[in-house]
Amino acid sequence: MTLSTPELAAAFTDRFGREPAGIWSAPGRVNLIGEHTDYNDGFVLPFAINRTTSVAAAPRTDRTAVVHSAFGGGSTASSHLEDLAPGSIEGWAAYPLGVLWAFEDHGVKVPGVDVLLDSDVPVGAGLSSSAALECAVAVMANDLFEAGLTGPELAALGQRAENLMVGAPTGIMDQSASLLGEEGHAVFLDCRSREAQLVPLDLAGSGLALLVIDTKVSHEHSTGGYASRRASCEKGAKAMGVPALRDLSTDDLARAADVLDEETFRRVRHIVTENARVLAAVDVLRESGPSGLGPLLNESHASMRDDFEISCPELDLAVETALGAGALGARMTGGGFGGSAIALVADGDAGAVTDAVSRAFAAAGYAAPAVFTVLPAAGAGRVEV
């Protein structure tokens, strides 16, 4: 059970003995389509969701940062800001403290800060709880210390914190979605130019719902599977003589099959075709709305399962069962190796799809999944107490 805004403010006062200077929040995200394309300079189409991480904070003057988590059992970490450096912090605290390090590294002086965190973004579910945490701290620091940074600049600082302080070689998508999202819209992001466009995603107005199926198989981007996929993509781009896989089209795949070893070719084929699917999805949303997305979602999952090999039996079962129960389309979402699937369903079918997935998981002997709906929500910012 997460704390309400007044409860979070009161909890901050109880812990730190003074009132917070403000409360800020940032959402998790669902990636509608475009997986592992971000670090290949490609295209992605995520949206911010109505699950958020909130921070209450107040400045200090002793160059010390103290962060306390009100969720996950509660724990505290602190560091003098001048002691922060890549590799200096382990565990969950590397995310918030890493953002403060990134501000300092960017030239923004942080005099010190007390922070209390709370969240209802599931951890390890592929909904980017890490970016929600980073972006909540980023908008807090930007506001509290009058840094004057833009949303894209804050996204870059969040990515830098995750890459260097956490050690996860992620792209810019998650932070961009959390910071730039708007209610009723997806964020179409060109990860090379960092240009972002809002694309209408009116699920309710189309009589649709988007189910998240959290398989409870946890994943971490800082472990080897994610890094090895990134290395394969870099290898493929180098062999094909392009700066990034973004620079290849589907017309180049025949040549790629001749140039690359079989595994690297499949990795490359996923990225090239996934970029094409993102562009097609944007066209569908602009021209006819979300009801036409189903086939693209299905093709994306097959590509991640077979070519990029980042799915798992639980994710495959979730997708297959959702489609069998009437979903218009379904795919795993997030970095893979666990986490969540999404299913696009007609409003009236959400209950039947949920029940079918729950029964299938029980029959397979898997842990019970958490199934819930999400809506495109507003991005990070200050919250009125």
Side-chain angles (χ1 to χ4, degrees), residues 34 47 53 60 63 70 82 107 115 141 185 196 212 230 235 242 261 265 287 298 300 309 315 321 328 340:
F47 63 92
T53 293
R60 299 168 62 112
R63 295 281 289 157
E82 291 178 4
V115 179
H185 291 78
V212 172
R230 184 163 188 162
K235 175 183 175 182
V242 292
D261 64 84
F265 169 70
E287 294 170 7
N298 297 341
S300 176
E309 296 181 285
L315 285 168
T321 305
L328 302 178
S340 296

Side-chain angles (χ1 to χ4, degrees), residues 37-112:
T37 48
D38 57 348
Y39 57 77
N40 288 289
D41 281 0
F43 304 102
V44 292
L45 190 63
F47 63 92
I49 61 174
N50 51 332
R51 295 283 187 114
T52 60
T53 293
S54 298
V55 302
R60 299 168 62 112
T61 58
D62 59 359
R63 295 281 289 157
T64 298
V66 179
V67 291
H68 179 77
S69 171
F71 65 100
S75 57
T76 302
S78 65
S79 176
H80 195 280
L81 285 154
E82 291 178 4
D83 294 334
L84 289 175
S88 65
I89 303 292
E90 295 183 352
W92 69 271
Y95 295 96
L97 293 177
V99 171
L100 297 177
W101 165 81
F103 268 78
E104 288 267 319
D105 190 59
H106 190 69
V108 177
K109 188 79 167 179
V110 179

Side-chain angles (χ1 to χ4, degrees), residues 90-161:
E90 295 183 352
W92 69 271
Y95 295 96
L97 293 177
V99 171
L100 297 177
W101 165 81
F103 268 78
E104 288 267 319
D105 190 59
H106 190 69
V108 177
K109 188 79 167 179
V110 179
V113 66
D114 289 328
V115 179
L116 178 63
L117 309 164
D118 195 24
S119 183
D120 66 354
V121 185
V123 175
L127 303 181
S128 204
S129 59
S130 59
L133 175 51
E134 291 157 359
C135 293
V137 173
V139 292
M140 174 274 292
N142 194 46
D143 193 1
L144 208 54
F145 307 123
E146 299 179 346
L149 300 178
T150 65
E153 288 172 328
L154 293 176
L157 291 187
Q159 182 197 17
R160 183 168 172 78

Side-chain angles (χ1 to χ4, degrees), residues 192-210:
R192 171 170 283 168
S193 69
R194 304 290 175 93
E195 179 186 357
Q197 301 175 37
L198 293 171
V199 180
L201 181 61
D202 184 7
L203 296 171
S206 302
L208 301 172
L210 194 78

